[in-house]
Amino acid sequence: MSIDLKQELKNKQYQNVSEYINKVLSLIEKEEINQEEAAWITVETVEGFRENVNPGFLAYRKTVTKDGQFASVEWSDNGSCFKDVNGKEYIDCLGGFGIYNVGHRNPKVVKAVTDQLKRQALHSQDLLDPLRAMLAKILGEITPGDLKYAFFTNSGTESVEAALKLAKMYSERTTFISTTRAFHGKSLGALSGTAKGMFRKPFLPLIPGFRHVPFGDIDMMKKSFEVCSSVGEDVAAVVLEPIQGEGGIILPPENYLKEVRELCDQYGSLLIFDEVQTGMGRTGKMFAAELYNVVPDIICLAKAFGGGVMPAGAVVATENVFKSWFDNPFMHTTTFGGNPLACAAAIATIGVLLEEKLPDRAAEVGEYFLQELKEAAKGQEDKVLEIRGQGLMIGIEFHEDEIGYEVSKGMFDHGILVAGTLINSKTIRIEPALTISYEEVDKVVSTFKQVLSQVKK
């Protein structure tokens, strides 16, 4: 094939791509789409996942038929709900794994991001960017104890990675203690602290120095500290979720976190709280650390930190810990972490949480939700093992994985989105927007009761 012919074909290819792009952009621009457009979007979405994203996802989506003729494709959202391309509305009790604390497209968060976008989207990387400084100051005010300095990221796993590096630089120790059922992310450092073997095995060996002990077992934690100290592998930090999310909404035993704090103090180790899922009001307090009156040395944030509008995360540490990065602030950097749009979203999100007292609301509505779910499950003890939670972070654990899957699918068919957890597949989570109405809660509960009664053991 001649060079001219190759170039002609390439130009034709580019022309086709340009036409496709214009069609997609025109659909994004529309406030409403018709049935023909909805059908085209569905086909393109399924085909795109099969051919260009990952066909494995199609097997996990609740409504994708084998031939791809039908699938529920999300298209718009607002408040506690989202709609698919055909206009069917769903109450979102998965919440993007906990990102929509202030609701879907909260108008105050959207406005802050839009206003900032009109001025500047990203920063030069060389001059001082104001919103980063302002957001860091706000975090220094609202986080527990003497947490003060902030480093901004784009996601939860990045926050954990930064926390691990910060802990290593602080003490030059290399041993970390994590727990069973823990989930801290899937990048190599965070994955080293994550517990599920299925995620870990293909990438072994991971970062050396990580030890896992049973979550909630303070005696085993003590023994691990003692052993590490005796063999000269002193612990740099303990990495914990105050309440385990992906592990199945596992609450810590009474005084457990305080005793871990005391062990860290005794052995000169840091305590890292991974509050990527529990933070920003989810558990009935701004941070779950406040529930247990424990102040960590480092706290990791993400998910709801960007208000469900921008990807954003943060690591906040005490001055004593963070100062190891003072001499060379380029020891750990990120191009997009702390960008103006993300900072605007986070600032507005914190404003909404405070002004509307959403952490308090999460405690109140969460208690009601939990009790109503327990009442709905009465007489179904052969299917439901336990319903537990804190605030609007609720887990329903079943005796068998299959029951949980059928309940989840049945609720979806009735317009309620719930899903399992990544570590404990027998448990489905309830993590709606903290703005969810009592009417919507009642609908979720009645649907759960109906579906549960129809599922066979």
Side-chain angles (χ1 to χ4, degrees), residues 102 108-109 112-113 116 130-139 142 152 280 304-307 312 339-355:
V102 297
K108 292 181 180 178
V109 179
V113 172
Q116 178 59 40
L131 294 192
R132 189 190 315 215
M134 296 167 187
L135 177 56
K137 179 179 181 178
I138 292 168
L139 285 175
I142 68 170
F152 296 109
M280 311 308 292
F305 187 65
N339 69 73
L341 297 179
C343 287
I347 291 169
T349 297
I350 295 169
V352 172
L353 289 167
L354 294 175
E355 291 166 12

Side-chain angles (χ1 to χ4, degrees), residues 111-124 129-131 134 340-341 343-345 347:
K111 183 179 186 302
V113 172
T114 304
D115 289 345
Q116 178 59 40
L117 184 59
K118 293 174 183 177
R119 181 177 300 104
Q120 183 185 35
L122 302 175
H123 52 80
S124 70
D129 43 308
L131 294 192
M134 296 167 187
L341 297 179
C343 287
I347 291 169

